[in-house]
Amino acid sequence: MTKTEVKRWFMIHTYSGYEKKVKTDLEQKIETLGMKEIVSKILVPEEKSTEIVRGKEKVVFRKIFPGYVMLEMTAIREESDEGINYKVDSDAWYVVRNTNGVTGFVGVGSDPIPMEEHEVENIFRVIGYEQEVRELHKADFQIGDYVKVLEGGFVNKEGKVAEMDYEQGKVKIMIEIFGRMTPVEVSFSSVAKM
């Protein structure tokens, strides 16, 4: 059996109309308990539309999935002969599950099931999330590219891009340190494509 740590999106059920309150409460709990590494993003999927109200244009946001909130969480991916299984951190599961307004994770029994990548991409495309995030922090490199560190403690080191966090403007690159490949996180502006 092989185990790897991955970031995946999960859906949680909430009482209808409580989605934003759940998001706010969860963000505060996660921050207070220092679980930002485990639960990295919380999102209420909404699409923007324009309505004419009393002869004036008004921008409104409609929830795509009333009663649901998306969470990006760290999970352990277990691959065996029986198939692929995902396990979330039990403390994070408890915190999310016991937040006011949350009725549970989408999954089988009490086991959360991560969303498929194409589902997440389709939702992001509808709400324009990925586009907004990418516009905040632009990069001329992508996952798999080789880059050189321009500043900081790893200046002039070269490595391969492993992860990109557009929201935070950070990139995780694999650099050889003491003969071992080590992940190092730096800002987008601190690296250049080779």
PDB file of all heavy atoms in Angstrom, residues 91-119:
ATOM      1  N   ASP A  91      -8.793  15.412  13.405  1.00  0.00           N
ATOM      2  CA  ASP A  91      -9.057  16.654  14.137  1.00  0.00           C
ATOM      3  C   ASP A  91      -9.784  17.668  13.248  1.00  0.00           C
ATOM      4  O   ASP A  91     -10.739  18.318  13.680  1.00  0.00           O
ATOM      5  CB  ASP A  91      -7.765  17.269  14.676  1.00  0.00           C
ATOM      6  CG  ASP A  91      -7.124  16.433  15.774  1.00  0.00           C
ATOM      7  OD1 ASP A  91      -7.857  15.654  16.425  1.00  0.00           O
ATOM      8  OD2 ASP A  91      -5.902  16.542  15.962  1.00  0.00           O
ATOM      9  N   ALA A  92      -9.323  17.798  11.999  1.00  0.00           N
ATOM     10  CA  ALA A  92      -9.962  18.728  11.061  1.00  0.00           C
ATOM     11  C   ALA A  92     -11.388  18.260  10.760  1.00  0.00           C
ATOM     12  O   ALA A  92     -12.314  19.078  10.690  1.00  0.00           O
ATOM     13  CB  ALA A  92      -9.154  18.829   9.777  1.00  0.00           C
ATOM     14  N   TRP A  93     -11.567  16.956  10.580  1.00  0.00           N
ATOM     15  CA  TRP A  93     -12.900  16.398  10.329  1.00  0.00           C
ATOM     16  C   TRP A  93     -13.831  16.775  11.477  1.00  0.00           C
ATOM     17  O   TRP A  93     -14.948  17.218  11.262  1.00  0.00           O
ATOM     18  CB  TRP A  93     -12.817  14.869  10.199  1.00  0.00           C
ATOM     19  CG  TRP A  93     -14.138  14.205   9.956  1.00  0.00           C
ATOM     20  CD1 TRP A  93     -14.692  13.918   8.754  1.00  0.00           C
ATOM     21  CD2 TRP A  93     -15.072  13.739  10.950  1.00  0.00           C
ATOM     22  NE1 TRP A  93     -15.907  13.311   8.932  1.00  0.00           N
ATOM     23  CE2 TRP A  93     -16.164  13.190  10.274  1.00  0.00           C
ATOM     24  CE3 TRP A  93     -15.080  13.752  12.339  1.00  0.00           C
ATOM     25  CZ2 TRP A  93     -17.266  12.650  10.932  1.00  0.00           C
ATOM     26  CZ3 TRP A  93     -16.178  13.215  13.003  1.00  0.00           C
ATOM     27  CH2 TRP A  93     -17.243  12.674  12.298  1.00  0.00           C
ATOM     28  N   TYR A  94     -13.354  16.623  12.709  1.00  0.00           N
ATOM     29  CA  TYR A  94     -14.152  16.918  13.890  1.00  0.00           C
ATOM     30  C   TYR A  94     -14.524  18.402  13.941  1.00  0.00           C
ATOM     31  O   TYR A  94     -15.667  18.757  14.215  1.00  0.00           O
ATOM     32  CB  TYR A  94     -13.398  16.512  15.167  1.00  0.00           C
ATOM     33  CG  TYR A  94     -14.196  16.708  16.426  1.00  0.00           C
ATOM     34  CD1 TYR A  94     -15.115  15.755  16.836  1.00  0.00           C
ATOM     35  CD2 TYR A  94     -14.034  17.858  17.189  1.00  0.00           C
ATOM     36  CE1 TYR A  94     -15.874  15.945  17.997  1.00  0.00           C
ATOM     37  CE2 TYR A  94     -14.777  18.061  18.339  1.00  0.00           C
ATOM     38  CZ  TYR A  94     -15.695  17.104  18.741  1.00  0.00           C
ATOM     39  OH  TYR A  94     -16.445  17.299  19.865  1.00  0.00           O
ATOM     40  N   VAL A  95     -13.554  19.275  13.674  1.00  0.00           N
ATOM     41  CA  VAL A  95     -13.797  20.722  13.705  1.00  0.00           C
ATOM     42  C   VAL A  95     -14.840  21.109  12.660  1.00  0.00           C
ATOM     43  O   VAL A  95     -15.790  21.841  12.956  1.00  0.00           O
ATOM     44  CB  VAL A  95     -12.483  21.512  13.479  1.00  0.00           C
ATOM     45  CG1 VAL A  95     -12.747  22.982  13.194  1.00  0.00           C
ATOM     46  CG2 VAL A  95     -11.565  21.361  14.683  1.00  0.00           C
ATOM     47  N   VAL A  96     -14.682  20.608  11.429  1.00  0.00           N
ATOM     48  CA  VAL A  96     -15.623  20.934  10.354  1.00  0.00           C
ATOM     49  C   VAL A  96     -17.001  20.378  10.694  1.00  0.00           C
ATOM     50  O   VAL A  96     -18.011  21.084  10.617  1.00  0.00           O
ATOM     51  CB  VAL A  96     -15.136  20.365   8.998  1.00  0.00           C
ATOM     52  CG1 VAL A  96     -16.214  20.515   7.930  1.00  0.00           C
ATOM     53  CG2 VAL A  96     -13.851  21.059   8.562  1.00  0.00           C
ATOM     54  N   ARG A  97     -17.057  19.118  11.061  1.00  0.00           N
ATOM     55  CA  ARG A  97     -18.320  18.424  11.315  1.00  0.00           C
ATOM     56  C   ARG A  97     -19.099  19.055  12.468  1.00  0.00           C
ATOM     57  O   ARG A  97     -20.320  19.047  12.485  1.00  0.00           O
ATOM     58  CB  ARG A  97     -18.014  16.940  11.606  1.00  0.00           C
ATOM     59  CG  ARG A  97     -19.195  16.041  11.826  1.00  0.00           C
ATOM     60  CD  ARG A  97     -20.031  15.915  10.564  1.00  0.00           C
ATOM     61  NE  ARG A  97     -21.249  15.189  10.832  1.00  0.00           N
ATOM     62  CZ  ARG A  97     -22.359  15.701  11.347  1.00  0.00           C
ATOM     63  NH1 ARG A  97     -22.408  16.964  11.665  1.00  0.00           N
ATOM     64  NH2 ARG A  97     -23.433  14.969  11.526  1.00  0.00           N
ATOM     65  N   ASN A  98     -18.407  19.624  13.452  1.00  0.00           N
ATOM     66  CA  ASN A  98     -19.068  20.196  14.621  1.00  0.00           C
ATOM     67  C   ASN A  98     -19.159  21.720  14.584  1.00  0.00           C
ATOM     68  O   ASN A  98     -19.260  22.374  15.620  1.00  0.00           O
ATOM     69  CB  ASN A  98     -18.369  19.715  15.901  1.00  0.00           C
ATOM     70  CG  ASN A  98     -18.623  18.245  16.132  1.00  0.00           C
ATOM     71  OD1 ASN A  98     -19.755  17.830  16.361  1.00  0.00           O
ATOM     72  ND2 ASN A  98     -17.586  17.443  16.023  1.00  0.00           N
ATOM     73  N   THR A  99     -19.134  22.279  13.379  1.00  0.00           N
ATOM     74  CA  THR A  99     -19.353  23.711  13.200  1.00  0.00           C
ATOM     75  C   THR A  99     -20.860  23.939  13.065  1.00  0.00           C
ATOM     76  O   THR A  99     -21.543  23.172  12.389  1.00  0.00           O
ATOM     77  CB  THR A  99     -18.615  24.222  11.944  1.00  0.00           C
ATOM     78  OG1 THR A  99     -17.206  24.006  12.127  1.00  0.00           O
ATOM     79  CG2 THR A  99     -18.866  25.699  11.703  1.00  0.00           C
ATOM     80  N   ASN A 100     -21.382  24.985  13.730  1.00  0.00           N
ATOM     81  CA  ASN A 100     -22.818  25.278  13.644  1.00  0.00           C
ATOM     82  C   ASN A 100     -23.247  25.430  12.193  1.00  0.00           C
ATOM     83  O   ASN A 100     -22.599  26.131  11.417  1.00  0.00           O
ATOM     84  CB  ASN A 100     -23.161  26.566  14.402  1.00  0.00           C
ATOM     85  CG  ASN A 100     -23.135  26.381  15.894  1.00  0.00           C
ATOM     86  OD1 ASN A 100     -23.273  25.254  16.380  1.00  0.00           O
ATOM     87  ND2 ASN A 100     -22.963  27.464  16.622  1.00  0.00           N
ATOM     88  N   GLY A 101     -24.330  24.769  11.824  1.00  0.00           N
ATOM     89  CA  GLY A 101     -24.872  24.855  10.471  1.00  0.00           C
ATOM     90  C   GLY A 101     -24.402  23.753   9.547  1.00  0.00           C
ATOM     91  O   GLY A 101     -24.957  23.559   8.479  1.00  0.00           O
ATOM     92  N   VAL A 102     -23.362  23.001   9.932  1.00  0.00           N
ATOM     93  CA  VAL A 102     -22.851  21.913   9.100  1.00  0.00           C
ATOM     94  C   VAL A 102     -23.590  20.627   9.475  1.00  0.00           C
ATOM     95  O   VAL A 102     -23.680  20.279  10.647  1.00  0.00           O
ATOM     96  CB  VAL A 102     -21.327  21.711   9.291  1.00  0.00           C
ATOM     97  CG1 VAL A 102     -20.833  20.488   8.536  1.00  0.00           C
ATOM     98  CG2 VAL A 102     -20.569  22.943   8.834  1.00  0.00           C
ATOM     99  N   THR A 103     -24.116  19.932   8.459  1.00  0.00           N
ATOM    100  CA  THR A 103     -24.811  18.672   8.727  1.00  0.00           C
ATOM    101  C   THR A 103     -23.936  17.468   8.400  1.00  0.00           C
ATOM    102  O   THR A 103     -24.270  16.358   8.787  1.00  0.00           O
ATOM    103  CB  THR A 103     -26.135  18.583   7.943  1.00  0.00           C
ATOM    104  OG1 THR A 103     -25.867  18.705   6.551  1.00  0.00           O
ATOM    105  CG2 THR A 103     -27.089  19.688   8.376  1.00  0.00           C
ATOM    106  N   GLY A 104     -22.849  17.672   7.678  1.00  0.00           N
ATOM    107  CA  GLY A 104     -21.938  16.568   7.393  1.00  0.00           C
ATOM    108  C   GLY A 104     -21.192  16.739   6.090  1.00  0.00           C
ATOM    109  O   GLY A 104     -21.432  17.671   5.324  1.00  0.00           O
ATOM    110  N   PHE A 105     -20.254  15.826   5.849  1.00  0.00           N
ATOM    111  CA  PHE A 105     -19.502  15.790   4.594  1.00  0.00           C
ATOM    112  C   PHE A 105     -20.296  15.013   3.547  1.00  0.00           C
ATOM    113  O   PHE A 105     -21.074  14.117   3.895  1.00  0.00           O
ATOM    114  CB  PHE A 105     -18.161  15.062   4.791  1.00  0.00           C
ATOM    115  CG  PHE A 105     -17.071  15.912   5.358  1.00  0.00           C
ATOM    116  CD1 PHE A 105     -16.896  16.022   6.726  1.00  0.00           C
ATOM    117  CD2 PHE A 105     -16.203  16.599   4.523  1.00  0.00           C
ATOM    118  CE1 PHE A 105     -15.875  16.786   7.262  1.00  0.00           C
ATOM    119  CE2 PHE A 105     -15.175  17.366   5.044  1.00  0.00           C
ATOM    120  CZ  PHE A 105     -15.018  17.470   6.417  1.00  0.00           C
ATOM    121  N   VAL A 106     -20.065  15.316   2.286  1.00  0.00           N
ATOM    122  CA  VAL A 106     -20.611  14.486   1.221  1.00  0.00           C
ATOM    123  C   VAL A 106     -19.713  13.263   1.143  1.00  0.00           C
ATOM    124  O   VAL A 106     -18.494  13.389   1.015  1.00  0.00           O
ATOM    125  CB  VAL A 106     -20.629  15.240  -0.132  1.00  0.00           C
ATOM    126  CG1 VAL A 106     -21.025  14.316  -1.266  1.00  0.00           C
ATOM    127  CG2 VAL A 106     -21.559  16.433  -0.056  1.00  0.00           C
ATOM    128  N   GLY A 107     -20.306  12.091   1.273  1.00  0.00           N
ATOM    129  CA  GLY A 107     -19.525  10.858   1.262  1.00  0.00           C
ATOM    130  C   GLY A 107     -20.358   9.688   1.725  1.00  0.00           C
ATOM    131  O   GLY A 107     -21.584   9.777   1.836  1.00  0.00           O
ATOM    132  N   VAL A 108     -19.680   8.608   2.018  1.00  0.00           N
ATOM    133  CA  VAL A 108     -20.340   7.397   2.469  1.00  0.00           C
ATOM    134  C   VAL A 108     -20.213   7.329   3.984  1.00  0.00           C
ATOM    135  O   VAL A 108     -19.098   7.295   4.509  1.00  0.00           O
ATOM    136  CB  VAL A 108     -19.706   6.145   1.823  1.00  0.00           C
ATOM    137  CG1 VAL A 108     -20.399   4.889   2.308  1.00  0.00           C
ATOM    138  CG2 VAL A 108     -19.754   6.245   0.318  1.00  0.00           C
ATOM    139  N   GLY A 109     -21.349   7.320   4.682  1.00  0.00           N
ATOM    140  CA  GLY A 109     -21.313   7.311   6.144  1.00  0.00           C
ATOM    141  C   GLY A 109     -20.623   8.558   6.648  1.00  0.00           C
ATOM    142  O   GLY A 109     -20.977   9.670   6.286  1.00  0.00           O
ATOM    143  N   SER A 110     -19.609   8.363   7.476  1.00  0.00           N
ATOM    144  CA  SER A 110     -18.878   9.521   8.004  1.00  0.00           C
ATOM    145  C   SER A 110     -17.573   9.757   7.236  1.00  0.00           C
ATOM    146  O   SER A 110     -16.807  10.643   7.579  1.00  0.00           O
ATOM    147  CB  SER A 110     -18.581   9.319   9.488  1.00  0.00           C
ATOM    148  OG  SER A 110     -17.752   8.193   9.669  1.00  0.00           O
ATOM    149  N   ASP A 111     -17.316   8.970   6.176  1.00  0.00           N
ATOM    150  CA  ASP A 111     -16.085   9.113   5.390  1.00  0.00           C
ATOM    151  C   ASP A 111     -16.294  10.095   4.236  1.00  0.00           C
ATOM    152  O   ASP A 111     -17.077   9.817   3.321  1.00  0.00           O
ATOM    153  CB  ASP A 111     -15.635   7.764   4.820  1.00  0.00           C
ATOM    154  CG  ASP A 111     -15.208   6.791   5.896  1.00  0.00           C
ATOM    155  OD1 ASP A 111     -14.783   7.258   6.973  1.00  0.00           O
ATOM    156  OD2 ASP A 111     -15.311   5.576   5.671  1.00  0.00           O
ATOM    157  N   PRO A 112     -15.602  11.233   4.262  1.00  0.00           N
ATOM    158  CA  PRO A 112     -15.735  12.188   3.157  1.00  0.00           C
ATOM    159  C   PRO A 112     -15.139  11.620   1.867  1.00  0.00           C
ATOM    160  O   PRO A 112     -14.128  10.923   1.896  1.00  0.00           O
ATOM    161  CB  PRO A 112     -14.915  13.395   3.615  1.00  0.00           C
ATOM    162  CG  PRO A 112     -14.587  13.171   5.041  1.00  0.00           C
ATOM    163  CD  PRO A 112     -14.711  11.715   5.303  1.00  0.00           C
ATOM    164  N   ILE A 113     -15.777  11.916   0.746  1.00  0.00           N
ATOM    165  CA  ILE A 113     -15.257  11.509  -0.561  1.00  0.00           C
ATOM    166  C   ILE A 113     -14.862  12.784  -1.305  1.00  0.00           C
ATOM    167  O   ILE A 113     -15.677  13.704  -1.426  1.00  0.00           O
ATOM    168  CB  ILE A 113     -16.306  10.722  -1.371  1.00  0.00           C
ATOM    169  CG1 ILE A 113     -16.633   9.419  -0.642  1.00  0.00           C
ATOM    170  CG2 ILE A 113     -15.825  10.458  -2.794  1.00  0.00           C
ATOM    171  CD1 ILE A 113     -17.717   8.591  -1.295  1.00  0.00           C
ATOM    172  N   PRO A 114     -13.602  12.865  -1.793  1.00  0.00           N
ATOM    173  CA  PRO A 114     -13.184  14.086  -2.497  1.00  0.00           C
ATOM    174  C   PRO A 114     -13.900  14.239  -3.832  1.00  0.00           C
ATOM    175  O   PRO A 114     -14.325  13.258  -4.445  1.00  0.00           O
ATOM    176  CB  PRO A 114     -11.681  13.883  -2.699  1.00  0.00           C
ATOM    177  CG  PRO A 114     -11.469  12.415  -2.620  1.00  0.00           C
ATOM    178  CD  PRO A 114     -12.540  11.866  -1.741  1.00  0.00           C
ATOM    179  N   MET A 115     -14.016  15.486  -4.264  1.00  0.00           N
ATOM    180  CA  MET A 115     -14.615  15.770  -5.557  1.00  0.00           C
ATOM    181  C   MET A 115     -13.635  15.376  -6.657  1.00  0.00           C
ATOM    182  O   MET A 115     -12.423  15.429  -6.461  1.00  0.00           O
ATOM    183  CB  MET A 115     -14.944  17.263  -5.663  1.00  0.00           C
ATOM    184  CG  MET A 115     -15.948  17.737  -4.628  1.00  0.00           C
ATOM    185  SD  MET A 115     -16.134  19.525  -4.652  1.00  0.00           S
ATOM    186  CE  MET A 115     -16.890  19.772  -6.257  1.00  0.00           C
ATOM    187  N   GLU A 116     -14.154  15.002  -7.809  1.00  0.00           N
ATOM    188  CA  GLU A 116     -13.313  14.706  -8.970  1.00  0.00           C
ATOM    189  C   GLU A 116     -12.734  16.020  -9.499  1.00  0.00           C
ATOM    190  O   GLU A 116     -13.384  17.067  -9.414  1.00  0.00           O
ATOM    191  CB  GLU A 116     -14.139  14.023 -10.068  1.00  0.00           C
ATOM    192  CG  GLU A 116     -14.696  12.677  -9.673  1.00  0.00           C
ATOM    193  CD  GLU A 116     -13.626  11.604  -9.536  1.00  0.00           C
ATOM    194  OE1 GLU A 116     -12.591  11.696 -10.220  1.00  0.00           O
ATOM    195  OE2 GLU A 116     -13.830  10.686  -8.719  1.00  0.00           O
ATOM    196  N   GLU A 117     -11.520  15.950 -10.049  1.00  0.00           N
ATOM    197  CA  GLU A 117     -10.849  17.160 -10.553  1.00  0.00           C
ATOM    198  C   GLU A 117     -11.691  17.879 -11.605  1.00  0.00           C
ATOM    199  O   GLU A 117     -11.782  19.102 -11.601  1.00  0.00           O
ATOM    200  CB  GLU A 117      -9.470  16.813 -11.140  1.00  0.00           C
ATOM    201  CG  GLU A 117      -8.460  16.406 -10.087  1.00  0.00           C
ATOM    202  CD  GLU A 117      -8.137  17.496  -9.086  1.00  0.00           C
ATOM    203  OE1 GLU A 117      -8.063  18.677  -9.460  1.00  0.00           O
ATOM    204  OE2 GLU A 117      -7.988  17.150  -7.899  1.00  0.00           O
ATOM    205  N   HIS A 118     -12.326  17.114 -12.520  1.00  0.00           N
ATOM    206  CA  HIS A 118     -13.121  17.762 -13.579  1.00  0.00           C
ATOM    207  C   HIS A 118     -14.350  18.474 -12.994  1.00  0.00           C
ATOM    208  O   HIS A 118     -14.771  19.509 -13.506  1.00  0.00           O
ATOM    209  CB  HIS A 118     -13.518  16.761 -14.666  1.00  0.00           C
ATOM    210  CG  HIS A 118     -14.510  15.733 -14.234  1.00  0.00           C
ATOM    211  ND1 HIS A 118     -14.139  14.564 -13.608  1.00  0.00           N
ATOM    212  CD2 HIS A 118     -15.852  15.701 -14.323  1.00  0.00           C
ATOM    213  CE1 HIS A 118     -15.215  13.852 -13.330  1.00  0.00           C
ATOM    214  NE2 HIS A 118     -16.278  14.516 -13.743  1.00  0.00           N
ATOM    215  N   GLU A 119     -14.906  17.963 -11.891  1.00  0.00           N
ATOM    216  CA  GLU A 119     -16.028  18.634 -11.227  1.00  0.00           C
ATOM    217  C   GLU A 119     -15.578  19.977 -10.669  1.00  0.00           C
ATOM    218  O   GLU A 119     -16.262  20.991 -10.833  1.00  0.00           O
ATOM    219  CB  GLU A 119     -16.566  17.782 -10.069  1.00  0.00           C
ATOM    220  CG  GLU A 119     -17.225  16.495 -10.475  1.00  0.00           C
ATOM    221  CD  GLU A 119     -17.578  15.612  -9.285  1.00  0.00           C
ATOM    222  OE1 GLU A 119     -16.816  15.572  -8.294  1.00  0.00           O
ATOM    223  OE2 GLU A 119     -18.628  14.957  -9.361  1.00  0.00           O
TER     224      GLU A 119
END
